[in-house]
Amino acid sequence: MKIGLKKSGLGSLILAAIALVGCLKQVTRSPSQNAFKQEESPVTITLSGWQSNPNEKQLLKQVIQAFEAKNPDINVKYEVVNSEYMDVIKTRLIGDVAPDVFYLDALEAPLLMQYNVLEPLDSYITPAFNLADFESSMLNAFKHNGKLYGLPKDFSTLALIYNKKTFAAVGITQPPQTWDQLIAVSKKLTIDQNNDQKTDQYGFGLAPELARQVFVLKAFGGQLMGQNAYATFADTKSLKGLQLVIDQYRRDRTSAQPTDVGATSGSEMLGQGKVAMTIEGTWAIPYFKETFPELDFATAEVPTINGKSGTMAFTVAYVMNRKTKHKKAAWKLIAYLTGAEGMNAWAKQGLALPTRRSVLARLGYNQSPLYAPFAKGAKYATIWQAGKNLPTVRMNFNNQFISALLGEQTLPQAMKKAQDTANREIYLGN
Amino acid sequence: MSALTKDRWRNRKAGDSLAGYLFMAPTILIAGVFLILPIAYAIALAFQKVQLLGDVSYQFTGLKNFVRIAQDDRVWIALKNTASYVAIVVPIQTMLALTLALILNSQIKGRSWFRVAFFLPTVTSSAVLTLIFMWIYNSNGLLNGVLSFLHLPTYNWLGDPNVALKGIMIMNIWSTAPLFMVIYLAALQDIPETLYEAATLDGASRWEKFLHITIPFLKPVTFFVIVMGIIGTFQLFDQSYIFSAGSGGPNDSTLTIVLLIYQYAFKNLDMGYALALTLMLAAILMTSTIIQRTLFKEERLD
């Protein structure tokens, strides 16, 4: 009897809980009934992205205001997600609260395209939009099974950036053209001013990350990933390229990584005068102008390795959430932001290069001495993208590459270990 | 007659228990929804392959996730890092907390000022602390400046795998010891003064009084401090996350179990495997607490 009542007590509790949940459901359901109405009155669409500095946010806000002025029936809510952008976006996609339009890095695109959370854009694109104007390699980064899921807003390649004063001080007149030259001038540029056995200025500032090294491992014919989506970067061809980086750091001691000199990036090392050269992206140019206005720097194409030109390209697209309620409005926004006018306004700041060839030419980036080396790189650059397993591969590569760089193990050992671990994780994760 | 009373009793009891449950209903509901349900859900998902992005799907995989733990090198690295972290941080922070408490419990001048100063690191947000320490640990930062001034070897605290975790250990000891110090301090003030007086009459030295009165009296508190310390250190996440920008590097040296769980759950979106790892962590924590309970077993008087 007692037990029976206890049970019924619990039973009533459960009933109450169910009733409560039922109420909640009803409450949540009501807004969707209004969705139909909302379509007529001004619609609000959310746009999410990250910002690398406050100016970028200001500029985008201006571009958005121009869009809103032209489309009075659309309000744009711009949200900046600054840290762990992709984790936030993925979690919001899972929870069905993702923004209608958002930035997507080429690196993360394969995963989202495969899982069908993005709206294919092909059906929206009109001839007037002039898709052919886009740099085709950047467009390809957002294609999956023949469908286009994103329109690249801008891109950046890597180029050699050097401090002109340090070059003049040791009598070098020209930036290095080949990797051998780079290693030779690095020796001249590595200086210990007060002879305390501590280098005050290194020749070359190094970024020991896969994102910056893929073109190096490809220089002798190596491949990051094989056909079957497994990593193949530990073969002898790849190692030949990477060994150049390791040798310069360990044997010559003419290069430094940021933490060696108390900096956080290659640009910061160059700006602080800790290195004479570094390989960085277009974003470094506005950064230097703002943070190190006295720095007298110039840019050149990345020196050739094994006679081959190579660099990396990073691109970010605007994509549309498949579950957005206002697809037309979302497309209008994307079309404006990646259209000739919107892109022109956006790319003026010089943080990255416009993906439309016409805009690139109009803004004169292919002529400007500082930007031309970056623009030229677009032709031969390796796009930082390699299927949905790249994050796993990158993490294992970075870990072991640093270990080889610090001399804890040889490069072949380290890369073998990284490749095996990455491939095991890929296999088990499938 | 007697049967009737019994029945009444029963009814009354039943009514009481119903009222009791009604009173507890809010707690049961909240605990159920936010505590028990998630735990049950987590246990259930640990045996599945879960795909959350796009079309949600669950696929029962049996023990596959747990077999994978055994084969995953990074799990063992994370366990090793976490274990060495626990083994170094917990004893040092406990002893430091006790020492600080003893100092503050003695009649020194400016006690309350010291109390505030010692307690400050604990109230500071750990994210802010980590950023400040990263500045201190910078190759050209404060710590290396002091070390080279004293002609001691300097380190690349952030970039060298051999010292990166030690940097986090120092930081954590410095920031958590004061919290436990306050707990010890409260316990110290609970020890009756008469015991010390009696011991003094018996001719006990300061050290003997500490060893035979203070330490035994603090035993339950020490148990609490160590259990909380172990749980806290096993759950190390934010410091190593900020230190390594989420990678657990350099060379996996700051990879901890919780950071690994985070990586699998939110970077790889592999919820099933991440939850299997979480269950493993829970099992480790429970076992270690049970072991400590048997070690610290209270003496029974009867």
Side-chain angles (χ1 to χ4, degrees):
Chain A
M1 180 70 184
K2 192 182 159 193
I3 295 165
L5 264 168
K6 224 182 189 174
K7 263 189 188 160
S8 76
L10 267 177
S12 61
L13 261 181
I14 291 164
L15 271 177
I18 291 168
L20 214 117
V21 171
C23 291
L24 284 175
K25 255 202 174 146
Q26 270 189 344
V27 171
T28 49
R29 198 176 292 153
S30 50
S32 64
Q33 287 164 345
N34 294 338
F36 180 70
K37 266 188 190 167
Q38 276 177 5
E39 198 70 53
E40 290 165 14
S41 56
V43 295
T44 301
I45 48 178
T46 45
L47 166 69
S48 286
W50 60 83
Q51 63 169 48
S52 36
N53 61 39
N55 297 350
E56 194 181 340
K57 187 177 172 181
Q58 283 309 317
L59 183 68
L60 188 56
K61 273 196 170 161
Q62 285 169 19
V63 180
I64 290 171
Q65 272 164 13
F67 168 77
E68 284 175 330
K70 283 194 171 174
N71 298 275
D73 54 334
I74 302 172
N75 288 324
V76 180
K77 200 175 135 217
Y78 172 46
E79 249 184 6
V80 178
V81 179
N82 257 341
S83 74
E84 299 303 334
Y85 176 79
M86 269 327 284
D87 293 1
V88 173
I89 291 291
K90 279 187 214 161
T91 320
R92 289 189 183 170
L93 280 170
I94 291 168
D96 277 350
V97 287
D100 303 309
V101 178
F102 53 94
Y103 285 18
L104 180 65
D105 194 308
L107 155 74
E108 300 276 359
L111 182 88
L112 294 198
M113 293 192 292
Q114 189 184 332
Y115 284 125
N116 253 334
V117 289
L118 304 178
E119 175 79 6
L121 301 175
D122 306 80
S123 58
Y124 299 91
I125 294 169
T126 57
F129 185 70
N130 194 6
L131 193 65
D133 192 19
F134 281 84
E135 191 70 54
S136 57
S137 55
M138 307 299 162
L139 271 183
N140 286 338
F142 300 97
K143 277 183 185 160
H144 180 72
N145 289 342
K147 283 184 191 156
L148 182 67
Y149 288 91
L151 285 169
K153 69 183 185 82
D154 53 19
F155 74 100
S156 175
T157 59
L158 297 178
L160 186 77
I161 306 180
Y162 58 97
N163 184 335
K164 283 203 239 170
K165 274 189 195 149
T166 60
F167 270 52
V170 292
I172 304 169
T173 51
Q174 245 193 5
Q177 312 279 315
T178 68
W179 204 263
D180 291 337
Q181 286 173 10
L182 178 121
I183 287 177
V185 297
S186 291
K187 286 179 188 160
K188 280 194 196 162
L189 288 164
T190 301
I191 297 164
D192 176 10
Q193 266 143 358
N194 48 6
N195 285 319
D196 62 350
Q197 307 303 315
K198 267 190 193 163
T199 309
D200 297 302
Q201 175 193 295
Y202 287 92
F204 180 63
L206 158 80
E209 292 161 27
L210 186 59
R212 306 295 182 89
Q213 302 294 342
V214 182
F215 75 96
V216 178
L217 72 79
K218 283 173 97 175
F220 293 90
Q223 280 299 330
L224 178 62
M225 306 284 264
Q227 292 297 321
N228 47 8
Y230 284 100
T232 57
F233 57 78
D235 69 7
T236 45
K237 287 177 195 157
S238 309
L239 293 177
K240 212 171 166 187
L242 294 172
Q243 192 68 48
L244 294 172
V245 179
I246 300 279
D247 282 348
Q248 189 189 8
Y249 186 84
R250 294 208 57 74
R251 199 183 56 207
D252 298 358
R253 304 213 169 260
T254 57
S255 62
Q257 50 164 331
T259 56
D260 290 339
V261 296
T264 51
S265 68
S267 337
E268 197 182 347
M269 286 196 276
L270 189 74
Q272 291 180 344
K274 301 279 165 57
V275 297
M277 303 178 278
T278 189
I279 291 181
E280 277 286 346
T282 21
W283 55 80
I285 296 174
Y287 169 77
F288 286 138
K289 285 183 178 161
E290 257 167 53
T291 317
F292 301 101
E294 269 113 75
L295 183 75
D296 188 12
F297 67 98
T299 61
E301 284 180 76
V302 173
T304 58
I305 307 176
N306 191 27
K308 269 188 206 159
S309 297
T311 184
M312 300 298 296
F314 307 92
T315 179
V316 175
Y318 282 114
V319 295
M320 195 197 300
N321 180 357
R322 174 170 281 224
K323 287 190 177 157
T324 175
K325 287 189 197 113
H326 313 295
K327 288 187 176 161
K328 269 187 192 157
W331 166 250
K332 272 189 187 167
L333 178 64
I334 295 180
Y336 181 79
L337 291 170
T338 57
E341 187 191 334
M343 191 179 283
N344 193 58
W346 166 250
K348 270 189 305 201
Q349 61 172 337
L351 207 60
L353 298 171
T355 36
R356 279 182 181 271
R357 294 195 192 96
S358 62
V359 178
L360 188 87
R362 196 188 323 159
L363 291 172
Y365 282 131
N366 47 0
Q367 305 296 327
S368 133
L370 277 181
Y371 283 97
F374 293 99
K376 276 184 201 153
K379 268 180 255 128
Y380 50 81
T382 305
I383 293 191
W384 176 230
Q385 184 186 49
K388 68 170 174 126
N389 295 324
L390 185 54
T392 306
V393 173
R394 169 177 66 168
M395 187 169 61
N396 286 293
F397 177 94
N398 288 354
N399 257 319
Q400 298 300 330
F401 191 68
I402 287 205
S403 162
L405 200 65
L406 297 174
E408 292 180 340
Q409 47 190 327
T410 65
L411 182 71
Q413 280 171 343
M415 291 297 102
K416 179 91 176 53
K417 204 169 147 197
Q419 182 179 306
D420 289 351
T421 317
N423 285 345
R424 195 175 326 120
E425 269 181 51
I426 293 169
Y427 172 73
L428 289 169
N430 279 339
Chain B
M1 176 70 189
S2 72
L4 203 77
T5 0
K6 250 191 180 170
D7 234 31
R8 246 199 200 155
W9 256 107
R10 267 190 198 153
N11 276 335
R12 180 129 174 237
K13 260 193 168 171
D16 278 354
S17 63
L18 184 67
Y21 278 114
L22 265 176
F23 277 119
M24 287 195 295
T27 319
I28 292 176
L29 242 164
I30 290 169
V33 171
F34 293 106
L35 208 75
I36 296 164
L37 212 71
I39 292 174
Y41 198 45
I43 293 173
L45 286 190
F47 296 92
Q48 321 221 4
K49 184 176 162 59
V50 188
Q51 199 215 302
L52 290 172
L53 201 60
D55 310 312
V56 181
S57 73
Y58 305 95
Q59 187 191 338
F60 185 75
T61 52
L63 290 172
K64 201 180 152 203
N65 286 334
F66 294 91
V67 175
R68 186 173 164 193
I69 291 178
Q71 295 170 341
D72 192 338
D73 284 343
R74 281 165 57 83
V75 171
W76 296 108
I77 294 170
L79 266 180
K80 211 183 80 200
N81 286 342
T82 313
S84 72
Y85 184 81
V86 172
I88 294 174
V89 171
V90 174
I92 295 182
Q93 84 183 9
T94 310
M95 280 188 264
L96 187 67
L98 183 57
T99 320
L100 289 176
L102 286 171
I103 292 171
L104 286 190
N105 201 37
S106 64
Q107 307 298 324
I108 50 165
K109 268 187 187 168
R111 253 184 335 161
S112 47
W113 189 87
F114 275 115
R115 258 179 227 184
V116 173
F118 284 163
F119 200 61
L120 264 181
T122 305
V123 272
T124 316
S125 137
S126 73
V128 175
L129 271 186
T130 313
L131 290 174
I132 294 172
F133 264 78
M134 282 179 78
W135 176 72
I136 293 174
Y137 285 147
N138 187 310
S139 304
N140 302 317
L142 190 67
L143 184 62
N144 274 352
V146 172
L147 286 175
S148 68
F149 180 74
L150 298 171
H151 296 284
L152 290 167
T154 59
Y155 297 99
N156 180 355
W157 291 93
L158 303 171
D160 185 348
N162 293 318
V163 292
L165 190 64
K166 305 217 167 50
I168 299 180
M169 288 178 186
I170 294 172
M171 180 169 76
N172 208 40
I173 291 170
W174 181 79
S175 66
T176 19
L179 175 71
F180 294 132
M181 170 199 81
V182 171
I183 295 167
Y184 267 128
L185 202 57
L188 277 175
Q189 280 160 359
D190 257 4
I191 303 176
E193 199 59 33
T194 46
L195 281 178
Y196 289 108
E197 282 165 14
T200 320
L201 285 181
D202 287 343
S205 68
R206 281 178 83 111
W207 176 246
E208 280 169 334
K209 278 190 273 184
F210 173 70
L211 215 61
H212 297 293
I213 300 174
T214 315
I215 294 277
F217 248 92
L218 292 179
K219 209 169 160 185
V221 178
T222 309
F223 173 67
F224 173 77
V225 166
I226 291 180
V227 169
M228 294 319 284
I230 288 183
I231 292 175
T233 45
F234 257 109
Q235 292 180 344
L236 172 70
F237 171 71
D238 42 359
Q239 285 107 333
S240 62
Y241 177 85
I242 299 171
F243 230 72
S244 64
S247 71
N251 195 13
D252 283 338
S253 62
T254 57
L255 185 70
T256 63
I257 292 283
V258 186
L259 185 57
L260 190 69
I261 292 170
Y262 170 82
Q263 286 183 352
Y264 277 118
F266 295 102
K267 298 252 181 256
N268 298 15
L269 289 181
D270 201 340
M271 262 327 148
Y273 186 49
L275 285 169
L277 284 169
T278 314
L279 286 191
M280 181 195 73
L281 178 64
I284 292 174
L285 286 178
M286 284 183 208
T287 327
S288 83
T289 311
I290 290 169
I291 292 172
Q292 289 164 70
R293 269 195 80 107
T294 48
L295 287 179
F296 275 80
K297 211 168 204 169
E298 280 183 45
E299 290 140 47
R300 282 166 197 269
L301 294 170
D302 50 16

